[in-house]
Amino acid sequence: MPEAVVCEAVRTPIGKRNGSLAEVHPVDLSAAVLDALAQRTGIDPGVVDDVVWGCVNQVGDQAAQIGRYALLAAGWPETVPGVTLNRACGSSQSAFDFAAGMVLAGQYDVVVAGGVESMTRVPLGAGRDLGRPYGPLVRERYRADLTSGEFPNADFNQGVGAERIARDWKLSRTELDEYAARSHELAAAAIDSGAFDRQLAAVPGAPGFDADEGLRRGTTAGTLAGLTPSFAADGVIHAGNSSQISDGASAVLVTTPQRARELGLTPIVRYHSGAVSGADPLRMLTGPIPATRKVLGRAGLGVADIGAFEVNEAFAPVPLAWQAEFGADPARLNPLGGAIAVGHPLGASGTVLLTRLVHHMRDRGIRYGLQTMCEGGGTANATIVELVEGSG
């Protein structure tokens, strides 16, 4: 039976908005992880069948098919193609799913999947001045909610969705803030222990930048308690229990076990199962729940079989509602912290999570890992990978 394996996974340190990566063009930021991938594997980039690249806000510096120009910026042969895709926050996780699918189908032998986002240079929602997203038919379908006064500008809004999730799952402000503080604590421990060192790629345009810079050491629920709610006067969601606006890039090399042997590569994990699902586009962020159910069913595995979960911390209610539904061991959920502590560079985040996950699995000898991403519009990806024996 055909298999797809990941032989290397790299990411840049995540930069905070207007931070260390602010002056690096997202094409060049993408090139940095492609360079690192080629150097660490020793492959000739000419063997790559395709570069599948996630990016969300494809305007300005991130327009013009950034996946193609990234590999050209890296100096890779002009014969290597590239494509850019957008599944909102899950863009690079979808890039990985698509890359693995093409390998499993026998269409590709060697693929790079990854993504980038410079939220400093291309702000969230940068394309809104060119038109009004969503369209009149969708707005009419959800008119009663959108015009209720809860949604700013009568637009779909993730923050309002997070407020609804907190309300529906009866998650208090204190619980959310305690979870946010936990994210900082775990991320600090991971950084200090060197858990990320093996996965980080240097960025030539940001010399000396070698660690995720969004971390706020010493964060506690008490220090977060004074922050003003962002989406409702009596709300529970604020900047401190939400993901940070960030810059970053990430990439993974996907191939077959046979081709890996021919190239002298050692697989880390194999692609076990993947799923994508849709959910309520108003709450928007509950998609990881049905996506997880779907991928576990497809894999024939249970929650207890999974040794590590990466559930993207778009907002604190997302992993907490997910955990409430599945009863997963809290110690296995986002064990290295998450986007609340280190940031969420949209188009890069899917393979950022994957990079964190596969290195953690290899370091700890964990057989199965699962990652899932909530996405704008109510979709979500869920992917299970399995450690390859002898990958350490």
Side-chain angles (χ1 to χ4, degrees), residues 104-381:
L104 290 169
Q107 297 298 303
Y108 290 167
D109 291 323
V110 182
V111 197
V112 171
V116 69
E117 204 81 27
S118 176
M119 299 179 77
T120 297
R121 298 172 72 100
V122 185
L124 191 64
R128 290 176 186 271
D129 57 345
L130 303 175
R132 197 170 188 204
Y134 314 122
L137 291 178
V138 172
R139 290 179 182 280
E140 179 59 26
R141 177 174 178 176
Y142 296 98
R143 181 173 60 85
D145 277 281
L146 293 177
T147 60
S148 66
E150 187 178 8
F151 289 82
N153 198 35
D155 277 337
F156 294 90
N157 185 286
Q158 292 192 17
V160 174
E163 288 283 359
R164 288 188 165 198
I165 293 168
R167 185 167 64 240
D168 291 347
W169 270 267
K170 297 180 173 55
L171 297 167
S172 69
R173 165 76 182 254
T174 299
E175 288 175 292
L176 300 179
D177 289 354
E178 286 174 346
Y179 180 86
R182 170 192 185 267
S183 184
H184 285 277
E185 181 182 356
L186 292 175
I191 291 170
D192 293 346
S193 70
F196 297 147
D197 293 353
R198 194 173 180 179
Q199 62 192 248
L200 295 178
V203 180
F209 178 48
D210 59 4
D212 301 319
E213 66 181 351
L215 177 67
R216 295 187 295 274
R217 293 178 183 272
T219 297
T220 66
T223 62
L224 296 174
L227 296 180
T228 302
S230 300
F231 303 101
D234 60 348
V236 294
I237 305 298
H238 55 80
N241 58 30
S242 307
S243 58
Q244 298 181 36
I245 295 172
S246 309
D247 308 328
S250 55
V252 300
L253 181 73
V254 186
T255 186
T256 65
Q258 179 183 356
R259 193 72 175 108
R261 286 192 297 272
E262 293 170 355
L263 295 169
L265 303 176
T266 301
I268 306 171
V269 297
R270 75 177 183 94
Y271 184 93
H272 189 285
S273 304
V276 64
S277 69
D280 173 11
L282 295 166
R283 286 193 301 185
M284 197 177 302
L285 310 172
T286 58
I289 295 169
T292 297
R293 289 196 182 104
K294 191 173 183 180
V295 78
L296 288 171
R298 183 167 289 169
L301 297 171
V303 170
D305 296 313
I306 308 298
F309 300 94
E310 285 280 349
V311 180
N312 192 44
E313 295 177 352
F315 300 87
V318 175
L320 287 176
W322 179 94
Q323 185 179 22
E325 291 297 307
F326 292 101
D329 181 350
R332 298 183 182 188
L333 173 61
N334 297 341
L336 308 172
I340 289 173
V342 298
H344 177 18
L346 307 177
S349 286
T351 40
V352 167
L353 262 62
L354 181 63
T355 296
R356 292 156 56 97
L357 180 61
V358 302
H359 284 273
H360 180 66
M361 290 170 65
R362 178 167 59 182
D363 291 344
R364 301 298 180 92
I366 294 170
R367 182 175 181 184
Y368 293 115
L370 183 153
Q371 73 171 84
T372 184
M373 301 277 295
C374 58
E375 300 153 359
T379 61
N381 285 71

Side-chain angles (χ1 to χ4, degrees), residues 64-133:
Q65 227 283 65
I66 192 170
R68 169 62 174 169
Y69 287 94
L71 68 92
L72 294 175
W76 287 18
E78 295 173 347
T79 53
V80 179
V83 64
T84 310
L85 63 88
N86 180 359
R87 200 194 291 273
C89 299
S91 295
S92 56
Q93 185 168 347
S94 275
F96 174 55
D97 283 336
F98 293 169
M102 291 297 280
V103 169
L104 290 169
Q107 297 298 303
Y108 290 167
D109 291 323
V110 182
V111 197
V112 171
V116 69
E117 204 81 27
S118 176
M119 299 179 77
T120 297
R121 298 172 72 100
V122 185
L124 191 64
R128 290 176 186 271
D129 57 345
L130 303 175
R132 197 170 188 204

